[in-house]
C-alpha cells in the first residue's frame, strides 16, 4: 500500500483548458463535467496554471465579464505539481498541508495525469473495497 506512486492512481485522460480560452468557457466546462477545476495549458500544451470554480466565482465577484475575460487572467499560476514517480503518501501530505483537491502529474514538463484526493483514497482502500 505504501509503495503506491502517482502513476498508480492518476487519471491519465486529463481534461485541460487553454489559457487563451474565455472564463465563460471554463465555467461551462466545470458545470458540464464532474470536476471543480482544470489544468490550464498554453498553445504548446505546457502546463501553466490551474483554474477552478473558485477562480470563476472570484472573477464574478470582482465584476469581471466572463465573456471577455481570459482564463489566463483568473487562473492560479504558481501551482503544486508532482512527478509520476512521487509516492502517493507524499502527494497526500502535500494535499493536506496545502488544502488541495487535485494535483497535476508531470513527466518532466509534460502533463501526463491528475490525482484527486478521491483517487488517493481509492488507491489506498483498493484491497479493502475488494473484500466487501
Amino acid at each position: 500500500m505504501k509503495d503506491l506512486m502517482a502513476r498508480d492512481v492518476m487519471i491519465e485522460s486529463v481534461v485541460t483548458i487553454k489559457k487563451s480560452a474565455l472564463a465563460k468557457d471554463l465555467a461551462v466546462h466545470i458545470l458540464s463535467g464532474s470536476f471543480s477545476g482544470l489544468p490550464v495549458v498554453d498553445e504548446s500544451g505546457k502546463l501553466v496554471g490551474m483554474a477552478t470554480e473558485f477562480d470563476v466565482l472570484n472573477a464574478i465577484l470582482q465584476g469581471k465579464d466572463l465573456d471577455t475575460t481570459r482564463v489566463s487572467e483568473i487562473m492560479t499560476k504558481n501551482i503544486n505539481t508532482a512527478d509520476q514517480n512521487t509516492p502517493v503518501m507524499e502527494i497526500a501530505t502535500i494535499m493536506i498541508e496545502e488544502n488541495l483537491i487535485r494535483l497535476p502529474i508531470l513527466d518532466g514538463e509534460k502533463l501526463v495525469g491528475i490525482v484527486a484526493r478521491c483517487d488517493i483514497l481509492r488507491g489506498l482502500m483498493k484491497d479493502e473495497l475488494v473484500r466487501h
Side-chain angles (χ1 to χ4, degrees):
M1 175 162 74
K2 292 187 179 185
D3 309 7
L4 285 177
M5 301 294 177
R7 68 178 174 274
D8 299 321
V9 298
M10 71 183 188
I11 302 301
E12 294 180 41
S13 55
V14 183
V15 176
T16 62
I17 192 161
K18 291 202 180 329
K19 69 178 189 173
S20 58
L22 294 174
K24 179 181 180 181
D25 297 331
L26 171 63
V28 168
H29 245 71
I30 288 172
L31 291 171
S32 65
S34 59
F35 31 75
S36 59
L38 298 171
V40 181
V41 295
D42 65 13
E43 303 317 315
S44 68
K46 181 181 175 190
L47 181 67
V48 295
M50 184 68 74
T52 67
E53 58 193 1
F54 177 84
D55 297 318
V56 175
L57 286 171
N58 195 32
I60 292 169
L61 289 174
Q62 291 177 12
K64 294 185 179 185
D65 182 353
L66 299 185
D67 287 320
T68 59
T69 301
R70 300 281 172 199
V71 170
S72 61
E73 297 172 55
I74 64 170
M75 70 182 190
T76 301
K77 294 176 182 83
N78 297 323
I79 59 169
N80 290 294
T81 61
D83 181 84
Q84 63 182 344
N85 296 314
T86 303
V88 165
M89 298 308 275
E90 187 177 320
I91 293 173
T93 300
I94 292 168
M95 288 178 152
I96 290 168
E97 289 175 354
E98 301 292 326
N99 194 26
L100 301 173
I101 295 172
R102 74 201 62 76
L103 202 64
I105 306 299
L106 305 177
D107 179 8
E109 290 191 10
K110 183 181 178 196
L111 178 66
V112 293
I114 195 156
V115 171
R117 293 183 298 210
C118 62
D119 300 321
I120 292 176
L121 187 57
R122 189 177 301 111
L124 294 174
M125 297 293 296
K126 188 175 187 179
D127 292 339
E128 186 68 26
L129 294 172
V130 169
R131 284 184 275 200
H132 287 93

